[in-house]
Structures are given as structure tokens and as C-alpha cells.
PDB file of all heavy atoms in Angstrom:
ATOM      1  N   GLY A 114       0.810  -1.211   0.000  1.00 98.00           N
ATOM      2  CA  GLY A 114       0.000   0.000   0.000  1.00 98.00           C
ATOM      3  C   GLY A 114       0.842   1.259   0.000  1.00 98.00           C
ATOM      4  O   GLY A 114       2.078   1.216  -0.076  1.00 98.00           O
ATOM      5  N   SER A 115       0.153   2.402   0.089  1.00 98.00           N
ATOM      6  CA  SER A 115       0.812   3.698   0.029  1.00 98.00           C
ATOM      7  C   SER A 115       0.337   4.599   1.164  1.00 98.00           C
ATOM      8  O   SER A 115      -0.787   4.459   1.651  1.00 98.00           O
ATOM      9  CB  SER A 115       0.509   4.393  -1.302  1.00 98.00           C
ATOM     10  OG  SER A 115       1.007   3.660  -2.391  1.00 98.00           O
ATOM     11  N   LEU A 116       1.200   5.506   1.556  1.00 98.00           N
ATOM     12  CA  LEU A 116       0.877   6.563   2.507  1.00 98.00           C
ATOM     13  C   LEU A 116       1.623   7.812   2.077  1.00 98.00           C
ATOM     14  O   LEU A 116       2.699   7.721   1.464  1.00 98.00           O
ATOM     15  CB  LEU A 116       1.297   6.202   3.929  1.00 98.00           C
ATOM     16  CG  LEU A 116       0.442   5.248   4.748  1.00 98.00           C
ATOM     17  CD1 LEU A 116       1.135   4.938   6.072  1.00 98.00           C
ATOM     18  CD2 LEU A 116      -0.943   5.823   4.991  1.00 98.00           C
ATOM     19  N   ARG A 117       1.077   8.963   2.425  1.00 98.00           N
ATOM     20  CA  ARG A 117       1.794  10.212   2.208  1.00 98.00           C
ATOM     21  C   ARG A 117       1.908  10.951   3.528  1.00 98.00           C
ATOM     22  O   ARG A 117       0.890  11.283   4.148  1.00 98.00           O
ATOM     23  CB  ARG A 117       1.108  11.100   1.183  1.00 98.00           C
ATOM     24  CG  ARG A 117       1.973  12.312   0.815  1.00 98.00           C
ATOM     25  CD  ARG A 117       1.375  13.151  -0.283  1.00 98.00           C
ATOM     26  NE  ARG A 117       0.359  14.067   0.203  1.00 98.00           N
ATOM     27  CZ  ARG A 117       0.039  15.212  -0.399  1.00 98.00           C
ATOM     28  NH1 ARG A 117       0.669  15.568  -1.509  1.00 98.00           N
ATOM     29  NH2 ARG A 117      -0.916  15.974   0.085  1.00 98.00           N
ATOM     30  N   LEU A 118       3.126  11.176   3.944  1.00 98.00           N
ATOM     31  CA  LEU A 118       3.383  11.975   5.136  1.00 98.00           C
ATOM     32  C   LEU A 118       3.516  13.445   4.745  1.00 98.00           C
ATOM     33  O   LEU A 118       4.078  13.770   3.702  1.00 98.00           O
ATOM     34  CB  LEU A 118       4.670  11.527   5.819  1.00 98.00           C
ATOM     35  CG  LEU A 118       4.705  10.080   6.324  1.00 98.00           C
ATOM     36  CD1 LEU A 118       6.066   9.791   6.967  1.00 98.00           C
ATOM     37  CD2 LEU A 118       3.589   9.816   7.289  1.00 98.00           C
ATOM     38  N   SER A 119       2.995  14.300   5.605  1.00 98.00           N
ATOM     39  CA  SER A 119       3.142  15.738   5.439  1.00 98.00           C
ATOM     40  C   SER A 119       3.849  16.301   6.659  1.00 98.00           C
ATOM     41  O   SER A 119       3.721  15.763   7.767  1.00 98.00           O
ATOM     42  CB  SER A 119       1.777  16.403   5.295  1.00 98.00           C
ATOM     43  OG  SER A 119       1.083  15.918   4.174  1.00 98.00           O
ATOM     44  N   CYS A 120       4.557  17.383   6.451  1.00 98.00           N
ATOM     45  CA  CYS A 120       5.244  18.056   7.554  1.00 98.00           C
ATOM     46  C   CYS A 120       5.090  19.551   7.336  1.00 98.00           C
ATOM     47  O   CYS A 120       5.654  20.112   6.398  1.00 98.00           O
ATOM     48  CB  CYS A 120       6.705  17.654   7.596  1.00 98.00           C
ATOM     49  SG  CYS A 120       7.677  18.545   8.816  1.00 98.00           S
ATOM     50  N   ALA A 121       4.303  20.187   8.197  1.00 97.00           N
ATOM     51  CA  ALA A 121       4.037  21.612   8.090  1.00 97.00           C
ATOM     52  C   ALA A 121       5.002  22.396   8.969  1.00 97.00           C
ATOM     53  O   ALA A 121       5.197  22.055  10.152  1.00 97.00           O
ATOM     54  CB  ALA A 121       2.609  21.909   8.494  1.00 97.00           C
ATOM     55  N   ALA A 122       5.588  23.431   8.404  1.00 97.00           N
ATOM     56  CA  ALA A 122       6.571  24.244   9.123  1.00 97.00           C
ATOM     57  C   ALA A 122       5.983  25.600   9.489  1.00 97.00           C
ATOM     58  O   ALA A 122       5.161  26.154   8.753  1.00 97.00           O
ATOM     59  CB  ALA A 122       7.810  24.431   8.279  1.00 97.00           C
ATOM     60  N   SER A 123       6.429  26.125  10.604  1.00 93.00           N
ATOM     61  CA  SER A 123       6.041  27.464  11.020  1.00 93.00           C
ATOM     62  C   SER A 123       7.188  28.096  11.797  1.00 93.00           C
ATOM     63  O   SER A 123       8.097  27.407  12.255  1.00 93.00           O
ATOM     64  CB  SER A 123       4.784  27.425  11.901  1.00 93.00           C
ATOM     65  OG  SER A 123       5.029  26.693  13.083  1.00 93.00           O
ATOM     66  N   GLY A 124       7.144  29.403  11.914  1.00 89.00           N
ATOM     67  CA  GLY A 124       8.117  30.105  12.724  1.00 89.00           C
ATOM     68  C   GLY A 124       9.441  30.380  12.046  1.00 89.00           C
ATOM     69  O   GLY A 124      10.379  30.827  12.704  1.00 89.00           O
ATOM     70  N   GLY A 125       9.543  30.121  10.770  1.00 87.00           N
ATOM     71  CA  GLY A 125      10.791  30.382  10.061  1.00 87.00           C
ATOM     72  C   GLY A 125      10.525  30.647   8.600  1.00 87.00           C
ATOM     73  O   GLY A 125       9.372  30.738   8.179  1.00 87.00           O
ATOM     74  N   THR A 126      11.589  30.771   7.817  1.00 92.00           N
ATOM     75  CA  THR A 126      11.458  31.007   6.379  1.00 92.00           C
ATOM     76  C   THR A 126      11.638  29.680   5.666  1.00 92.00           C
ATOM     77  O   THR A 126      12.764  29.236   5.430  1.00 92.00           O
ATOM     78  CB  THR A 126      12.489  32.032   5.899  1.00 92.00           C
ATOM     79  OG1 THR A 126      12.369  33.230   6.685  1.00 92.00           O
ATOM     80  CG2 THR A 126      12.264  32.357   4.439  1.00 92.00           C
ATOM     81  N   PHE A 127      10.538  29.066   5.310  1.00 95.00           N
ATOM     82  CA  PHE A 127      10.558  27.692   4.797  1.00 95.00           C
ATOM     83  C   PHE A 127      11.406  27.575   3.533  1.00 95.00           C
ATOM     84  O   PHE A 127      12.092  26.579   3.338  1.00 95.00           O
ATOM     85  CB  PHE A 127       9.129  27.236   4.523  1.00 95.00           C
ATOM     86  CG  PHE A 127       9.017  25.806   4.107  1.00 95.00           C
ATOM     87  CD1 PHE A 127       9.081  24.786   5.053  1.00 95.00           C
ATOM     88  CD2 PHE A 127       8.850  25.462   2.777  1.00 95.00           C
ATOM     89  CE1 PHE A 127       8.971  23.454   4.677  1.00 95.00           C
ATOM     90  CE2 PHE A 127       8.736  24.138   2.393  1.00 95.00           C
ATOM     91  CZ  PHE A 127       8.802  23.129   3.344  1.00 95.00           C
ATOM     92  N   SER A 128      11.347  28.568   2.681  1.00 94.00           N
ATOM     93  CA  SER A 128      12.086  28.490   1.414  1.00 94.00           C
ATOM     94  C   SER A 128      13.592  28.441   1.624  1.00 94.00           C
ATOM     95  O   SER A 128      14.335  28.103   0.706  1.00 94.00           O
ATOM     96  CB  SER A 128      11.717  29.667   0.511  1.00 94.00           C
ATOM     97  OG  SER A 128      12.059  30.886   1.147  1.00 94.00           O
ATOM     98  N   ARG A 129      14.064  28.773   2.802  1.00 94.00           N
ATOM     99  CA  ARG A 129      15.493  28.718   3.107  1.00 94.00           C
ATOM    100  C   ARG A 129      15.924  27.365   3.684  1.00 94.00           C
ATOM    101  O   ARG A 129      17.097  27.173   3.980  1.00 94.00           O
ATOM    102  CB  ARG A 129      15.874  29.814   4.094  1.00 94.00           C
ATOM    103  CG  ARG A 129      15.753  31.216   3.529  1.00 94.00           C
ATOM    104  CD  ARG A 129      16.269  32.248   4.512  1.00 94.00           C
ATOM    105  NE  ARG A 129      16.207  33.600   3.966  1.00 94.00           N
ATOM    106  CZ  ARG A 129      16.581  34.682   4.632  1.00 94.00           C
ATOM    107  NH1 ARG A 129      17.059  34.566   5.868  1.00 94.00           N
ATOM    108  NH2 ARG A 129      16.490  35.868   4.080  1.00 94.00           N
ATOM    109  N   TYR A 130      14.987  26.458   3.845  1.00 96.00           N
ATOM    110  CA  TYR A 130      15.288  25.196   4.497  1.00 96.00           C
ATOM    111  C   TYR A 130      15.728  24.116   3.510  1.00 96.00           C
ATOM    112  O   TYR A 130      15.074  23.885   2.504  1.00 96.00           O
ATOM    113  CB  TYR A 130      14.069  24.646   5.225  1.00 96.00           C
ATOM    114  CG  TYR A 130      13.597  25.406   6.432  1.00 96.00           C
ATOM    115  CD1 TYR A 130      12.363  25.127   6.995  1.00 96.00           C
ATOM    116  CD2 TYR A 130      14.369  26.391   7.022  1.00 96.00           C
ATOM    117  CE1 TYR A 130      11.903  25.803   8.110  1.00 96.00           C
ATOM    118  CE2 TYR A 130      13.921  27.082   8.137  1.00 96.00           C
ATOM    119  CZ  TYR A 130      12.685  26.777   8.679  1.00 96.00           C
ATOM    120  OH  TYR A 130      12.242  27.458   9.782  1.00 96.00           O
ATOM    121  N   ALA A 131      16.828  23.421   3.858  1.00 97.00           N
ATOM    122  CA  ALA A 131      17.040  22.080   3.330  1.00 97.00           C
ATOM    123  C   ALA A 131      16.211  21.150   4.207  1.00 97.00           C
ATOM    124  O   ALA A 131      16.081  21.386   5.421  1.00 97.00           O
ATOM    125  CB  ALA A 131      18.507  21.710   3.383  1.00 97.00           C
ATOM    126  N   LEU A 132      15.667  20.104   3.602  1.00 98.00           N
ATOM    127  CA  LEU A 132      14.692  19.277   4.306  1.00 98.00           C
ATOM    128  C   LEU A 132      15.081  17.806   4.274  1.00 98.00           C
ATOM    129  O   LEU A 132      15.723  17.344   3.325  1.00 98.00           O
ATOM    130  CB  LEU A 132      13.317  19.459   3.655  1.00 98.00           C
ATOM    131  CG  LEU A 132      12.773  20.880   3.699  1.00 98.00           C
ATOM    132  CD1 LEU A 132      11.658  21.046   2.681  1.00 98.00           C
ATOM    133  CD2 LEU A 132      12.293  21.234   5.087  1.00 98.00           C
ATOM    134  N   GLY A 133      14.639  17.092   5.299  1.00 98.00           N
ATOM    135  CA  GLY A 133      14.926  15.667   5.332  1.00 98.00           C
ATOM    136  C   GLY A 133      13.861  14.888   6.064  1.00 98.00           C
ATOM    137  O   GLY A 133      13.091  15.447   6.857  1.00 98.00           O
ATOM    138  N   TRP A 134      13.805  13.601   5.757  1.00 98.00           N
ATOM    139  CA  TRP A 134      12.976  12.651   6.481  1.00 98.00           C
ATOM    140  C   TRP A 134      13.879  11.564   7.061  1.00 98.00           C
ATOM    141  O   TRP A 134      14.757  11.039   6.351  1.00 98.00           O
ATOM    142  CB  TRP A 134      11.937  12.012   5.572  1.00 98.00           C
ATOM    143  CG  TRP A 134      10.802  12.909   5.190  1.00 98.00           C
ATOM    144  CD1 TRP A 134      10.689  13.667   4.055  1.00 98.00           C
ATOM    145  CD2 TRP A 134       9.608  13.137   5.936  1.00 98.00           C
ATOM    146  NE1 TRP A 134       9.508  14.356   4.065  1.00 98.00           N
ATOM    147  CE2 TRP A 134       8.812  14.051   5.212  1.00 98.00           C
ATOM    148  CE3 TRP A 134       9.128  12.667   7.166  1.00 98.00           C
ATOM    149  CZ2 TRP A 134       7.572  14.501   5.656  1.00 98.00           C
ATOM    150  CZ3 TRP A 134       7.893  13.105   7.608  1.00 98.00           C
ATOM    151  CH2 TRP A 134       7.124  14.012   6.864  1.00 98.00           C
ATOM    152  N   PHE A 135      13.653  11.239   8.305  1.00 98.00           N
ATOM    153  CA  PHE A 135      14.368  10.172   8.996  1.00 98.00           C
ATOM    154  C   PHE A 135      13.332   9.211   9.575  1.00 98.00           C
ATOM    155  O   PHE A 135      12.148   9.543   9.678  1.00 98.00           O
ATOM    156  CB  PHE A 135      15.229  10.745  10.131  1.00 98.00           C
ATOM    157  CG  PHE A 135      16.411  11.545   9.666  1.00 98.00           C
ATOM    158  CD1 PHE A 135      16.246  12.820   9.136  1.00 98.00           C
ATOM    159  CD2 PHE A 135      17.695  11.034   9.753  1.00 98.00           C
ATOM    160  CE1 PHE A 135      17.342  13.570   8.703  1.00 98.00           C
ATOM    161  CE2 PHE A 135      18.796  11.764   9.332  1.00 98.00           C
ATOM    162  CZ  PHE A 135      18.617  13.035   8.806  1.00 98.00           C
ATOM    163  N   ARG A 136      13.795   8.024   9.971  1.00 98.00           N
ATOM    164  CA  ARG A 136      12.891   7.091  10.630  1.00 98.00           C
ATOM    165  C   ARG A 136      13.652   6.304  11.687  1.00 98.00           C
ATOM    166  O   ARG A 136      14.866   6.117  11.587  1.00 98.00           O
ATOM    167  CB  ARG A 136      12.237   6.146   9.628  1.00 98.00           C
ATOM    168  CG  ARG A 136      13.195   5.192   8.935  1.00 98.00           C
ATOM    169  CD  ARG A 136      12.469   4.393   7.867  1.00 98.00           C
ATOM    170  NE  ARG A 136      13.360   3.477   7.156  1.00 98.00           N
ATOM    171  CZ  ARG A 136      13.012   2.772   6.092  1.00 98.00           C
ATOM    172  NH1 ARG A 136      11.771   2.875   5.596  1.00 98.00           N
ATOM    173  NH2 ARG A 136      13.882   1.961   5.517  1.00 98.00           N
ATOM    174  N   GLN A 137      12.886   5.848  12.666  1.00 98.00           N
ATOM    175  CA  GLN A 137      13.471   5.032  13.724  1.00 98.00           C
ATOM    176  C   GLN A 137      12.535   3.878  14.021  1.00 98.00           C
ATOM    177  O   GLN A 137      11.395   4.084  14.458  1.00 98.00           O
ATOM    178  CB  GLN A 137      13.721   5.859  14.988  1.00 98.00           C
ATOM    179  CG  GLN A 137      14.460   5.087  16.057  1.00 98.00           C
ATOM    180  CD  GLN A 137      14.957   5.980  17.177  1.00 98.00           C
ATOM    181  OE1 GLN A 137      14.454   7.084  17.385  1.00 98.00           O
ATOM    182  NE2 GLN A 137      15.964   5.521  17.901  1.00 98.00           N
ATOM    183  N   ALA A 138      13.030   2.685  13.783  1.00 97.00           N
ATOM    184  CA  ALA A 138      12.279   1.470  14.085  1.00 97.00           C
ATOM    185  C   ALA A 138      12.600   1.032  15.510  1.00 97.00           C
ATOM    186  O   ALA A 138      13.663   1.382  16.044  1.00 97.00           O
ATOM    187  CB  ALA A 138      12.642   0.373  13.096  1.00 97.00           C
ATOM    188  N   PRO A 139      11.718   0.260  16.143  1.00 92.00           N
ATOM    189  CA  PRO A 139      11.976  -0.191  17.518  1.00 92.00           C
ATOM    190  C   PRO A 139      13.299  -0.926  17.628  1.00 92.00           C
ATOM    191  O   PRO A 139      13.600  -1.818  16.828  1.00 92.00           O
ATOM    192  CB  PRO A 139      10.799  -1.132  17.788  1.00 92.00           C
ATOM    193  CG  PRO A 139       9.722  -0.644  16.904  1.00 92.00           C
ATOM    194  CD  PRO A 139      10.411  -0.170  15.653  1.00 92.00           C
ATOM    195  N   GLY A 140      14.110  -0.525  18.592  1.00 94.00           N
ATOM    196  CA  GLY A 140      15.383  -1.181  18.828  1.00 94.00           C
ATOM    197  C   GLY A 140      16.487  -0.799  17.870  1.00 94.00           C
ATOM    198  O   GLY A 140      17.587  -1.365  17.930  1.00 94.00           O
ATOM    199  N   LYS A 141      16.214   0.157  16.990  1.00 96.00           N
ATOM    200  CA  LYS A 141      17.219   0.566  16.012  1.00 96.00           C
ATOM    201  C   LYS A 141      17.511   2.046  16.129  1.00 96.00           C
ATOM    202  O   LYS A 141      16.729   2.807  16.701  1.00 96.00           O
ATOM    203  CB  LYS A 141      16.747   0.232  14.595  1.00 96.00           C
ATOM    204  CG  LYS A 141      16.596  -1.254  14.326  1.00 96.00           C
ATOM    205  CD  LYS A 141      16.278  -1.515  12.867  1.00 96.00           C
ATOM    206  CE  LYS A 141      16.202  -2.999  12.572  1.00 96.00           C
ATOM    207  NZ  LYS A 141      15.922  -3.270  11.140  1.00 96.00           N
ATOM    208  N   GLU A 142      18.628   2.458  15.560  1.00 97.00           N
ATOM    209  CA  GLU A 142      18.975   3.867  15.545  1.00 97.00           C
ATOM    210  C   GLU A 142      18.172   4.593  14.462  1.00 97.00           C
ATOM    211  O   GLU A 142      17.716   4.003  13.493  1.00 97.00           O
ATOM    212  CB  GLU A 142      20.471   4.037  15.291  1.00 97.00           C
ATOM    213  CG  GLU A 142      21.347   3.496  16.409  1.00 97.00           C
ATOM    214  CD  GLU A 142      22.820   3.771  16.187  1.00 97.00           C
ATOM    215  OE1 GLU A 142      23.177   4.247  15.099  1.00 97.00           O
ATOM    216  OE2 GLU A 142      23.609   3.521  17.109  1.00 97.00           O
ATOM    217  N   ARG A 143      18.035   5.884  14.661  1.00 97.00           N
ATOM    218  CA  ARG A 143      17.352   6.685  13.656  1.00 97.00           C
ATOM    219  C   ARG A 143      18.211   6.741  12.397  1.00 97.00           C
ATOM    220  O   ARG A 143      19.433   6.902  12.486  1.00 97.00           O
ATOM    221  CB  ARG A 143      17.078   8.082  14.203  1.00 97.00           C
ATOM    222  CG  ARG A 143      16.206   8.940  13.319  1.00 97.00           C
ATOM    223  CD  ARG A 143      15.475  10.020  14.096  1.00 97.00           C
ATOM    224  NE  ARG A 143      16.345  10.907  14.830  1.00 97.00           N
ATOM    225  CZ  ARG A 143      15.899  11.911  15.583  1.00 97.00           C
ATOM    226  NH1 ARG A 143      14.589  12.126  15.697  1.00 97.00           N
ATOM    227  NH2 ARG A 143      16.754  12.680  16.219  1.00 97.00           N
ATOM    228  N   GLU A 144      17.573   6.615  11.229  1.00 98.00           N
ATOM    229  CA  GLU A 144      18.306   6.598   9.979  1.00 98.00           C
ATOM    230  C   GLU A 144      17.715   7.603   8.987  1.00 98.00           C
ATOM    231  O   GLU A 144      16.519   7.894   8.999  1.00 98.00           O
ATOM    232  CB  GLU A 144      18.289   5.201   9.337  1.00 98.00           C
ATOM    233  CG  GLU A 144      16.927   4.730   8.871  1.00 98.00           C
ATOM    234  CD  GLU A 144      16.986   3.480   7.996  1.00 98.00           C
ATOM    235  OE1 GLU A 144      18.086   3.092   7.540  1.00 98.00           O
ATOM    236  OE2 GLU A 144      15.898   2.906   7.745  1.00 98.00           O
ATOM    237  N   PHE A 145      18.582   8.090   8.127  1.00 98.00           N
ATOM    238  CA  PHE A 145      18.182   8.969   7.039  1.00 98.00           C
ATOM    239  C   PHE A 145      17.342   8.181   6.042  1.00 98.00           C
ATOM    240  O   PHE A 145      17.683   7.055   5.684  1.00 98.00           O
ATOM    241  CB  PHE A 145      19.420   9.545   6.371  1.00 98.00           C
ATOM    242  CG  PHE A 145      19.159  10.274   5.088  1.00 98.00           C
ATOM    243  CD1 PHE A 145      18.716  11.582   5.097  1.00 98.00           C
ATOM    244  CD2 PHE A 145      19.364   9.652   3.872  1.00 98.00           C
ATOM    245  CE1 PHE A 145      18.477  12.261   3.921  1.00 98.00           C
ATOM    246  CE2 PHE A 145      19.142  10.306   2.688  1.00 98.00           C
ATOM    247  CZ  PHE A 145      18.691  11.617   2.708  1.00 98.00           C
ATOM    248  N   VAL A 146      16.263   8.802   5.560  1.00 98.00           N
ATOM    249  CA  VAL A 146      15.411   8.175   4.562  1.00 98.00           C
ATOM    250  C   VAL A 146      15.453   8.947   3.241  1.00 98.00           C
ATOM    251  O   VAL A 146      15.679   8.368   2.186  1.00 98.00           O
ATOM    252  CB  VAL A 146      13.949   8.097   5.052  1.00 98.00           C
ATOM    253  CG1 VAL A 146      13.043   7.535   3.968  1.00 98.00           C
ATOM    254  CG2 VAL A 146      13.852   7.245   6.313  1.00 98.00           C
ATOM    255  N   ALA A 147      15.221  10.244   3.312  1.00 98.00           N
ATOM    256  CA  ALA A 147      15.174  11.058   2.096  1.00 98.00           C
ATOM    257  C   ALA A 147      15.513  12.494   2.436  1.00 98.00           C
ATOM    258  O   ALA A 147      15.240  12.954   3.550  1.00 98.00           O
ATOM    259  CB  ALA A 147      13.786  10.996   1.461  1.00 98.00           C
ATOM    260  N   GLY A 148      16.104  13.196   1.468  1.00 98.00           N
ATOM    261  CA  GLY A 148      16.442  14.587   1.690  1.00 98.00           C
ATOM    262  C   GLY A 148      16.275  15.405   0.427  1.00 98.00           C
ATOM    263  O   GLY A 148      16.327  14.872  -0.688  1.00 98.00           O
ATOM    264  N   MET A 149      16.035  16.690   0.617  1.00 98.00           N
ATOM    265  CA  MET A 149      15.888  17.604  -0.505  1.00 98.00           C
ATOM    266  C   MET A 149      16.663  18.875  -0.196  1.00 98.00           C
ATOM    267  O   MET A 149      16.613  19.379   0.921  1.00 98.00           O
ATOM    268  CB  MET A 149      14.413  17.913  -0.757  1.00 98.00           C
ATOM    269  CG  MET A 149      14.169  18.963  -1.830  1.00 98.00           C
ATOM    270  SD  MET A 149      12.430  19.129  -2.268  1.00 98.00           S
ATOM    271  CE  MET A 149      12.277  17.809  -3.472  1.00 98.00           C
ATOM    272  N   SER A 150      17.343  19.395  -1.196  1.00 97.00           N
ATOM    273  CA  SER A 150      18.115  20.617  -1.024  1.00 97.00           C
ATOM    274  C   SER A 150      17.198  21.825  -0.854  1.00 97.00           C
ATOM    275  O   SER A 150      15.997  21.764  -1.144  1.00 97.00           O
ATOM    276  CB  SER A 150      19.010  20.832  -2.240  1.00 97.00           C
ATOM    277  OG  SER A 150      18.212  20.989  -3.412  1.00 97.00           O
ATOM    278  N   LYS A 151      17.761  22.914  -0.406  1.00 96.00           N
ATOM    279  CA  LYS A 151      17.006  24.152  -0.260  1.00 96.00           C
ATOM    280  C   LYS A 151      16.404  24.579  -1.592  1.00 96.00           C
ATOM    281  O   LYS A 151      15.277  25.051  -1.658  1.00 96.00           O
ATOM    282  CB  LYS A 151      17.914  25.263   0.278  1.00 96.00           C
ATOM    283  CG  LYS A 151      17.190  26.580   0.541  1.00 96.00           C
ATOM    284  CD  LYS A 151      18.137  27.668   1.004  1.00 96.00           C
ATOM    285  CE  LYS A 151      18.850  28.322  -0.138  1.00 96.00           C
ATOM    286  NZ  LYS A 151      19.529  29.578   0.267  1.00 96.00           N
ATOM    287  N   SER A 152      17.152  24.397  -2.668  1.00 94.00           N
ATOM    288  CA  SER A 152      16.678  24.800  -3.992  1.00 94.00           C
ATOM    289  C   SER A 152      15.539  23.916  -4.486  1.00 94.00           C
ATOM    290  O   SER A 152      14.767  24.321  -5.348  1.00 94.00           O
ATOM    291  CB  SER A 152      17.826  24.735  -4.993  1.00 94.00           C
ATOM    292  OG  SER A 152      18.213  23.387  -5.200  1.00 94.00           O
ATOM    293  N   GLY A 153      15.463  22.701  -3.948  1.00 94.00           N
ATOM    294  CA  GLY A 153      14.469  21.748  -4.427  1.00 94.00           C
ATOM    295  C   GLY A 153      14.919  20.965  -5.637  1.00 94.00           C
ATOM    296  O   GLY A 153      14.242  20.045  -6.076  1.00 94.00           O
ATOM    297  N   TYR A 154      16.100  21.288  -6.165  1.00 96.00           N
ATOM    298  CA  TYR A 154      16.552  20.629  -7.385  1.00 96.00           C
ATOM    299  C   TYR A 154      17.264  19.302  -7.114  1.00 96.00           C
ATOM    300  O   TYR A 154      17.379  18.471  -8.017  1.00 96.00           O
ATOM    301  CB  TYR A 154      17.494  21.547  -8.160  1.00 96.00           C
ATOM    302  CG  TYR A 154      16.817  22.768  -8.728  1.00 96.00           C
ATOM    303  CD1 TYR A 154      17.390  24.028  -8.618  1.00 96.00           C
ATOM    304  CD2 TYR A 154      15.598  22.658  -9.380  1.00 96.00           C
ATOM    305  CE1 TYR A 154      16.770  25.151  -9.141  1.00 96.00           C
ATOM    306  CE2 TYR A 154      14.968  23.778  -9.912  1.00 96.00           C
ATOM    307  CZ  TYR A 154      15.558  25.020  -9.793  1.00 96.00           C
ATOM    308  OH  TYR A 154      14.944  26.128 -10.307  1.00 96.00           O
TER     309      TYR A 154
END
């Protein structure tokens, strides 16, 4: 199946952010999943 996660930002200038998604499974360390540059490119 599929899911879409959303992450809403406030209190800063969003267009200046590099962004990332991480995940942590039970008993494991948090790991990088996906990232996007500030430019979006």
C-alpha cells in the first residue's frame, strides 16, 4: 500500500530550508530516509 506523510513548518522562512525525512524502528537507531536541497533541485 501507500501513505503520504506531510510536515508543516512554522516560525521560520521555509524556502530557506534544506529538508529531510528520517525514521526510527523499535530497537534501532534513527536513519536517514530522504532529503531535498534548499533549492528543491
Side-chain angles (χ1 to χ4, degrees):
S115 297
L116 282 174
R117 188 175 81 154
L118 299 179
S119 300
C120 174
S123 62
T126 306
F127 185 79
S128 61
R129 293 185 178 179
Y130 292 168
L132 299 162
W134 286 95
F135 290 74
R136 66 186 179 187
Q137 186 168 21
K141 295 186 177 181
E142 294 184 352
R143 188 155 58 181
E144 66 168 347
F145 170 81
V146 176
M149 175 172 276
S150 62
K151 183 183 82 167
S152 68
Y154 292 135

